[in-house]
Amino acid sequence: MIYFLLAFPAFFQGWQAPGFKGFFTELRAAAENRDVRKLETLIYPFKDKVEDMQEAMIENILHGNIGQRGDGAFSVRALDSLMANHLDKIKPIEKDLYGQLSKDIIFGKVIRSFKPKDVFVMDYRDARMILLQGKDGLQLFFWENLNNLLRN
């Protein structure tokens, strides 16, 4: 039994975050360097019926505004707050929410293409986010109200 505990310690530690800190560090560097190509690899390519969501998120990141609210709202300060204080709020998607989002008219097709174990969400202080774990690593699918993380 002791051999098993030493050989497989992660088995007993519960769920482990799949590199959120590293992912957001890369995202921050790409934002600061205005590296559109890198941002395109970190943000899931997605178009709804109205707009290219990836392009809109990249625009919001490149023109970060601390006062911005809503879909894609971004500022480096909010990202720093996420990385320093709130990564623990990102969790694997719950079964009921996965079912709900997989039926969504906008997000459904993408969400269904990932297993529930590869979808991560945050809903904290009305800041919401969806991350997808693909074969090439994490990608941001959606966020809104990220600047709410700066509220007291």
Side-chain angles (χ1 to χ4, degrees):
M1 181 67 169
I2 291 176
Y3 172 76
F4 185 76
L5 289 173
L6 293 173
F8 302 101
F11 180 80
F12 292 95
Q13 292 175 356
W15 177 79
Q16 296 281 319
F20 296 140
K21 181 84 169 183
F23 172 79
F24 288 113
T25 299
E26 283 187 66
L27 186 75
R28 188 185 193 292
E32 276 195 331
N33 296 327
R34 304 182 66 75
D35 186 344
V36 173
R37 287 192 181 171
K38 183 63 175 178
L39 289 169
E40 287 172 344
T41 68
L42 296 171
I43 299 170
Y44 189 86
F46 174 67
K47 295 178 182 176
D48 68 9
K49 293 179 181 180
V50 178
E51 68 181 329
D52 182 327
M53 300 293 283
Q54 181 191 50
E55 183 179 303
M57 288 185 75
I58 290 171
E59 281 298 310
N60 283 340
I61 289 170
L62 294 176
H63 302 100
N65 177 349
I66 203 164
Q68 186 182 20
R69 300 285 182 260
D71 292 356
F74 173 85
S75 71
V76 170
R77 279 188 54 209
L79 184 58
D80 287 344
S81 178
L82 172 69
M83 290 171 34
N85 305 306
H86 307 297
L87 290 179
D88 63 324
K89 308 297 188 288
I90 303 171
K91 302 287 185 192
I93 195 166
E94 293 179 1
K95 184 179 178 181
D96 289 344
L97 183 57
Y98 180 85
Q100 199 176 17
L101 290 177
S102 67
K103 295 175 189 167
D104 185 84
I105 194 164
I106 296 171
F107 294 157
K109 185 176 179 181
V110 172
I111 297 294
R112 283 191 308 272
S113 72
F114 287 83
K115 294 178 182 174
K117 71 177 184 65
D118 295 326
V119 180
F120 301 90
V121 296
M122 181 183 82
D123 186 353
Y124 178 69
R125 293 185 181 168
D126 288 329
R128 295 178 187 90
M129 160 184 325
I130 301 172
L131 294 166
L132 304 171
Q133 176 71 51
K135 65 181 184 322
D136 295 326
L138 283 168
Q139 286 186 299
L140 177 63
F141 180 54
F142 172 82
W143 68 23
E144 67 180 356
N145 298 320
L146 192 66
N147 289 316
N148 284 359
L149 298 178
L150 300 173
R151 293 189 329 217
N152 291 331

